[in-house]
């Protein structure tokens, strides 16, 4: 791989690292309300939990955005443009990530010792996350600029295939976290107490996430079985379609289960519907509508 391609690969690997960290919190957000002790939490802890869910939707949406943008706008090419986008998105993502982490620590502290312990745990978590994630930038005296060769690099077919497979690994942890916890939820007492329509909605969400997971795993299987690992343009195009299609079902499944979770916590179907609709708009907007508008603007320009 050339220098620009390696830089883009490293940037995507760093996004994957963030997603691997985020998947733990994402799973907790969807599993917690079905635990027996959740209903006993004080009201302020449940409000914090809802805030953490909102923050994690933003985190997942932002983390997958560069991969979708790279597929739709850059067509898999490497260079400074996509590197800058990944850097900017990472900087934006870390703040809601830190907020979600601190709110979940607040919920845990509430369950253990009450409001004082909850506040101390949340404050310490937020300070540590902000300090370690943003602190180094304060002391940064400047960063190296991309050279002209990186700015206009056209990636080789081999590099494009490696990048699209990396991007499938960026999206996959979010899907697998949801899939695992969605399957576990159906065996809990909390799920058994849900009304029939909520169970059906969860089933639809489970189907969407299962399909998203299948689509994300397909490129690796397809490359190995059909093409025997050959680096050909035809496979790259197919793999790109699989990854982009998976994000649609991931958005549908995540939004549907947000409806189930928010309704269970609040007992307010209207609020749950608004939350689910808002999440879907945010996710599809980041992953499809914005990149498509950017591609059209680039063609028009």
């Amino acid at each position: 791989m050339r220098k620009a391609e390696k830089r883009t690969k490293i940037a995507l690997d760093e996004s994957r690292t963030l997603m691997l960290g985020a998947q733990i919190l994402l799973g907790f957000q969807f599993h917690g309300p079905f635990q027996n002790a959740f209903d006993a939490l004080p009201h302020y802890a449940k409000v914090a939990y809802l805030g953490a869910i909102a923050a994690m939707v933003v985190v997942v949406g932002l983390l997958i955005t560069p991969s979708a943008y790279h597929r739709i706008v850059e067509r898999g090419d490497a260079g400074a443009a996509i590197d800058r986008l990944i850097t900017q998105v990472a900087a934006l993502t870390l703040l809601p990530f830190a907020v979600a982490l601190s709110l979940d620590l607040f919920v845990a502290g509430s369950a253990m010792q009450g409001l004082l312990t909850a506040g101390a745990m949340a404050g310490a978590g937020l300070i540590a996350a902000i300090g370690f994630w943003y602190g180094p930038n304060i002391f940064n005296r400047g960063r190296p600029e991309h050279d002209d060769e990186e700015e206009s690099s056209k990636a080789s077919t081999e590099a494009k295939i490696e990048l699209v497979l990396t991007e499938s690994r960026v999206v996959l942890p979010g899907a697998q976290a949801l899939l695992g916890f969605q399957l576990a939820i159906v065996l809990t007492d909390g799920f058994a107490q849900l009304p029939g329509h909520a169970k059906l909605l969860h089933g639809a969400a489970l189907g969407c996430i299962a399909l998203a997971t299948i689509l994300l795993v397909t490129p690796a299987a397809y490359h190995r079985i059909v093409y025997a690992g050959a680096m050909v343009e035809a496979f790259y195009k197919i793999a790109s379609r699989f990854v982009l299609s998976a994000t649609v079902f991931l958005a549908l499944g995540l939004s549907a289960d947000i409806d189930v979770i928010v309704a269970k916590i609040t007992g307010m179907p209207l609020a749950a519907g608004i939350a689910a609709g808002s999440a879907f708009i945010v996710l599809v907007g980041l992953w499809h509508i914005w990149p498509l508008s950017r591609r059209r603007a680039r063609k028009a320009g």
Side-chain angles (χ1 to χ4, degrees):
M1 296 180 76
R2 291 174 295 183
K3 184 178 179 182
E5 294 161 357
K6 288 180 180 179
R7 289 182 66 100
T8 301
K9 173 69 164 55
I10 291 171
L12 289 170
D13 282 336
E14 290 166 346
S15 293
R16 183 181 172 218
T17 299
L18 292 176
M19 181 62 87
L20 290 171
Q23 71 173 340
I24 303 301
L25 292 185
L26 183 64
F28 174 65
Q29 307 309 155
F30 284 83
H31 197 267
F34 293 92
Q35 299 303 307
N36 294 333
F38 187 86
D39 290 338
L41 287 175
H43 178 71
Y44 58 78
K46 293 180 180 179
V47 172
Y49 198 91
L50 289 170
I53 291 174
M56 284 309 302
V57 169
V58 174
V59 168
V60 172
L62 288 173
L63 285 176
I64 295 176
T65 296
S67 296
Y69 187 96
H70 193 212
R71 295 292 101 226
I72 295 171
V73 181
E74 301 295 338
R75 303 297 182 94
D77 285 329
I82 189 63
D83 292 353
R84 280 195 297 267
L85 178 64
I86 296 172
T87 300
Q88 291 163 357
V89 168
L92 287 173
T93 302
L94 291 174
L95 181 57
F97 196 168
V99 170
L101 176 60
S102 66
L103 288 173
D104 280 335
L105 289 172
F106 182 86
V107 173
S110 299
M112 289 188 294
Q113 293 291 335
L115 184 58
L116 184 61
T117 299
M121 290 176 63
L126 183 63
I127 291 170
I130 295 295
F132 279 103
W133 294 346
Y134 287 104
N137 192 53
I138 297 174
F139 304 100
N140 185 18
R141 300 296 182 182
R143 61 187 62 178
E145 296 293 332
H146 296 281
D147 57 36
D148 293 338
E149 182 266 333
E150 290 180 287
E151 195 72 42
S152 59
S153 175
K154 292 291 184 181
S156 63
T157 297
E158 182 177 355
K160 284 184 175 183
I161 289 173
E162 186 166 352
L163 292 175
V164 74
L165 290 175
T166 298
E167 286 165 347
S168 71
R169 293 194 295 270
V170 171
V171 184
L172 184 58
Q176 71 181 19
L178 284 172
L179 182 61
F181 285 102
Q182 282 178 323
L183 289 169
I185 281 170
V186 302
L187 302 178
T188 64
D189 293 337
F191 183 82
Q193 297 167 5
L194 289 176
H197 71 273
K199 292 180 180 178
L200 289 174
L201 187 58
H202 178 74
L206 177 58
C208 286
I209 299 301
L211 183 53
T213 303
I214 291 169
L215 289 171
L216 289 168
V217 173
T218 296
Y222 204 86
H223 192 215
R224 191 53 39 198
I225 296 171
V226 177
Y227 288 97
M231 299 297 189
V232 296
E233 183 73 16
F235 166 72
Y236 163 72
K237 293 178 179 178
I238 292 170
S240 294
R241 295 189 186 104
F242 278 129
V243 172
L244 286 174
S245 298
T247 62
V248 175
F249 291 101
L250 181 59
L252 285 169
L254 181 57
S255 302
D257 254 348
I258 284 175
D259 188 295
V260 175
I261 296 297
V262 174
K264 188 178 190 309
I265 295 173
T266 65
M268 301 169 61
L270 179 59
I274 292 173
S278 300
F280 184 74
I281 290 170
V282 168
L283 296 176
V284 173
L286 286 172
W287 299 345
H288 291 273
I289 297 175
W290 177 60
L292 284 170
S293 67
R294 290 288 300 154
R295 187 171 77 179
R296 291 194 185 97
R298 181 175 292 186
K299 285 181 178 179

